Amino acid sequence: MTAVIEPSWTQEYITTNGVKLHYVTQGEGPLMLMLHGFPEFWYSWRYQIPEFAKYFKVVALDLRGYNDSDKPKKKSAYVMDEFIKDIEGVIKGLGYDKCVVVGHDWGGAIAWNFAYAHPEMLEQLIILNLPHPAKFSQGLRTPQQLMRSSYIFFFQLPWLPELFIKSSNYAAVEKALKGMAVDKNTFTQLDIDTYKNAAAKNGALTAMLNYYRNVFQQRIFKTNWGILEVPTLMIWGEDDTALGKELTYGTEAYVKNFQIKYISKCSHWVQQEKPDLVNQYMQDFLML
């Protein structure tokens, strides 16, 4: 399967919460908002956009700091309260009261937090390879997850992570994507170059890393998570080297209406590595 930029996709901008955010959109109808992770951008949803544009107005956002969205210079601009306000503003700015939110990795973290902050604005929630915040917090107290998450501590350093990622023509981006993938054909050279080009945009790398530099202020260790009322689907690539499968166990204690679908022989990059299966599970959950 090759990554094709569809001519029917439109690139647009929306200003919300003091930042101008870039997004790609296709389709009409109810809103489906897609939130990417690190070190990606809207492009990580390239296999989902045309499929769900049959039923929705699909909006695949570049999160603040990424690709063609604004990149505030202050580290304090990259905290969960700001991300939540961004998403609220995008939904309302597009003329909607509610939507389906789909989030992967950092986009999943934002989606979880947004669902707790504004459950009334969500029809359904779909999370890919990012545990419930309470489960992630528990996981970070175990040696095995601390080892898996060791890169987070490296990212706390000033300027050195930027130098490391930039070195050898952004080799670290390719290693993160291709290196973690089970199927090494998941990412073409075009895909890798596309991700590298986005990371190389002025100010992007530091902005992307600032998500991690504020990680201990991102509500990870909040203790009073209630029961989420929003119907939620979790899709999990079982061979995720960054996040252990055990982080998914017991999620149903925090979500009233919860489904989980595991995908074997699949990495953290689940929607890109197994797009057909991910799309099918999403369609089944949404009853399309």
Side-chain angles (χ1 to χ4, degrees), residues 161-194:
E162 281 90 337
L163 283 181
F164 170 73
I165 294 172
K166 284 178 181 176
S167 65
S168 304
N169 185 29
Y170 290 82
V173 172
E174 181 164 3
K175 187 176 180 184
L177 296 165
K178 269 195 169 173
M180 288 171 67
V182 176
D183 178 358
K184 301 305 178 186
N185 296 316
T186 296
F187 297 102
T188 66
Q189 194 56 51
L190 170 64
D191 296 335
I192 297 296
D193 290 344
T194 301

Side-chain angles (χ1 to χ4, degrees), residues 91-162:
I91 296 168
K92 290 179 177 175
L94 291 169
Y96 292 85
D97 298 318
K98 303 185 82 162
C99 71
V100 175
V101 169
V102 187
H104 170 255
D105 186 77
W106 262 108
I110 294 168
W112 276 123
N113 280 275
F114 184 80
Y116 273 93
H118 295 288
E120 75 286 352
M121 295 184 72
L122 288 188
E123 295 282 5
Q124 287 135 313
L125 179 64
I126 300 174
I127 303 285
L128 292 79
N129 278 72
L130 198 288
H132 185 284
K135 302 304 298 181
F136 195 27
S137 172
Q138 292 166 22
L140 285 174
R141 294 178 172 90
T142 66
Q144 61 265 39
Q145 187 53 52
L146 276 173
M147 282 293 292
R148 290 173 182 263
S149 298
S150 59
Y151 64 94
I152 294 176
F153 299 98
F154 172 59
F155 286 170
Q156 302 307 305
L157 299 172
W159 59 264
L160 193 60
E162 281 90 337

Side-chain angles (χ1 to χ4, degrees), residues 239-284:
D239 294 290
D240 189 332
T241 56
L243 297 164
K245 180 181 175 182
E246 68 278 0
L247 297 177
T248 66
Y249 302 158
T251 305
E252 62 278 0
Y254 297 93
V255 187
K256 186 176 179 181
N257 183 345
F258 179 70
Q259 298 178 33
I260 186 158
K261 297 289 185 183
Y262 294 108
I263 300 181
S264 62
K265 298 183 177 62
C266 183
S267 73
H268 181 71
W269 316 116
V270 59
Q271 78 270 30
Q272 298 174 82
E273 192 161 6
K274 298 282 187 181
D276 294 340
L277 201 48
V278 167
N279 292 353
Q280 186 60 57
Y281 287 150
M282 287 174 61
Q283 287 167 348
D284 291 347

